[in-house]
Amino acid sequence: MVGGGSADLGPSVAVKIFSAGAAGCVADLVTFPLDTAKVRLQIQGESKPSLKGQGMKFRGVFGTICTMVKTEGPRSLYSGLVAGLHRQMSFASVRIGLYDTMKQFYTRGSENAGIGARLMAGCTTGGMAVTFAQPTDVVKIRFQAQSRLPENGSVKRYSSTFDAYKTIARDEGVRGLWKGALPNITRNAIVNCSELVTYDIIKELILKYNLMTDNMPCHFVAGFSAGFCTTIVASPVDVVKTRFMNSTPGKYSGAMNCALTMLMKEGPTAFYKGFVPSFLRLGSWNIVMFVSFEQIKRGVMRFQRPMAPSL
């Protein structure tokens, strides 16, 4: 991504990795209720309601949040947060922190990266990140989808984050922790390209034409644009990923079977279930993450500078 102010030296790879992971955690803390609402809306309709009137329990992002607070308590909005923070420290740090490094790799060290090199860098780091973070994503999805209501006929699946890791590995095998890896790799290649390439290009154009300086308003505009573009492109595969990860063993034979089942039973609009919370979440997440990333990165670099000798 475009560098900082003219007075700043380029940050090291370690600084970028740490800053990206920390910024991802900050963004998750702020936007996690929206993400939970998105998951609940995405899985709604995947099974027949056991009781009359339960089929359309959640309506809209804010309606979903209000319903969850009323029926399950405010804490339900942050169910899976620990796994979410685990995910960001292992996921955002790789896919965002290594983006510039991979971009330079594909351009053989040139600073003038074309769109092809940027897309390749985004796909590469997105795929690498899934390798590290997939178990945390599976556990996060399971917790967010888990209802706290005893009367709805479902049993609470896990008592804690570490119990979820252990139970999934025991009952579904180690492969269960990597359930949905293929759709997740596909999703994150798309998301990473949309987020990072859009942010990179828009920020570069803003600075090139002197529309803004390299400061917080610039990062806000570029981050919002990245979130909007990403939501449009990634929503269908995100819904399939959520459904497949949350499914019980044997319900779907694979990600494609999950997508076809959704299409046959619920129609094409099922792939955009939870679109509004997805946009609210991704737009706000990108704004918070990229603004935090730039500020944390600069803060770490200032901390690393040797103190000026006293006069």
Side-chain angles (χ1 to χ4, degrees), residues 57-239:
K57 178 181 175 183
F58 302 119
R59 293 182 181 275
V61 55
F62 296 112
T64 299
I65 290 174
C66 289
T67 299
M68 290 179 65
V69 170
K70 288 179 182 177
T71 59
E72 303 174 46
R75 291 181 60 186
S76 65
L77 297 174
Y78 283 90
S79 182
L81 177 62
V82 174
L85 298 179
H86 289 172
R87 178 179 181 270
Q88 292 304 332
M89 285 306 299
S90 57
F91 185 71
S93 58
V94 173
R95 76 179 184 92
I96 298 169
L98 292 179
Y99 172 73
D100 284 337
T101 301
M102 294 309 303
K103 188 169 66 174
Q104 290 181 351
F105 172 79
Y106 285 116
T107 59
R108 301 179 186 274
S110 172
E111 293 296 324
N112 299 317
I115 186 68
R118 297 178 205 243
L119 290 172
M120 286 294 293
C123 287
T124 302
T125 58
M128 290 168 60
V130 172
T131 303
F132 295 104
Q134 182 69 7
T136 65
D137 208 9
V138 171
V139 171
K140 180 180 81 77
I141 291 291
R142 297 279 182 95
F143 264 97
Q144 288 177 313
Q146 176 174 273
S147 174
R148 294 178 183 271
L149 285 176
E151 64 270 19
N152 68 355
S154 62
V155 179
K156 191 173 180 181
R157 299 168 85 174
Y158 314 109
S159 60
S160 69
T161 302
F162 290 102
D163 174 65
Y165 288 120
K166 184 174 67 175
T167 302
I168 293 171
R170 184 190 65 222
D171 295 347
E172 303 175 39
V174 176
R175 290 179 61 183
L177 290 170
W178 270 265
K179 187 174 186 178
L182 183 59
N184 211 14
I185 288 172
T186 303
R187 174 192 180 273
N188 283 299
I190 294 170
V191 167
N192 221 37
C193 288
S194 300
E195 282 183 353
L196 298 182
V197 175
T198 302
Y199 181 84
D200 204 9
I201 291 175
I202 290 179
K203 181 182 174 185
E204 190 175 87
L205 290 173
I206 289 173
L207 298 179
K208 179 180 178 180
Y209 292 103
N210 296 317
L211 301 176
M212 298 178 185
T213 57
D214 191 3
N215 55 17
M216 200 172 293
C218 171
H219 306 154
F220 180 96
V221 172
F224 181 86
S225 302
F228 181 76
C229 293
T230 302
T231 308
I232 293 175
V233 174
S235 278
V237 70
D238 189 35
V239 174

Side-chain angles (χ1 to χ4, degrees), residues 234-309:
S235 278
V237 70
D238 189 35
V239 174
V240 173
K241 180 209 79 165
T242 299
R243 290 282 187 95
F244 188 61
M245 281 185 178
N246 185 56
S247 65
T248 54
K251 182 168 185 176
Y252 303 115
S253 60
M256 285 302 298
N257 176 253
C258 178
L260 288 173
T261 301
M262 287 173 56
L263 181 63
M264 296 298 292
K265 291 186 175 181
E266 303 171 56
T269 56
F271 294 99
Y272 279 91
K273 278 193 172 182
F275 179 82
V276 173
S278 289
F279 171 63
L280 291 174
R281 190 259 175 183
L282 270 177
S284 57
W285 192 92
N286 274 271
I287 291 168
V288 176
M289 195 285 299
F290 281 116
V291 169
S292 300
F293 176 60
E294 300 280 7
Q295 297 304 312
I296 293 171
K297 185 170 60 176
R298 293 179 182 184
V300 172
M301 291 174 66
R302 283 194 296 268
F303 180 78
Q304 286 182 329
R305 289 174 186 162
M307 295 183 64

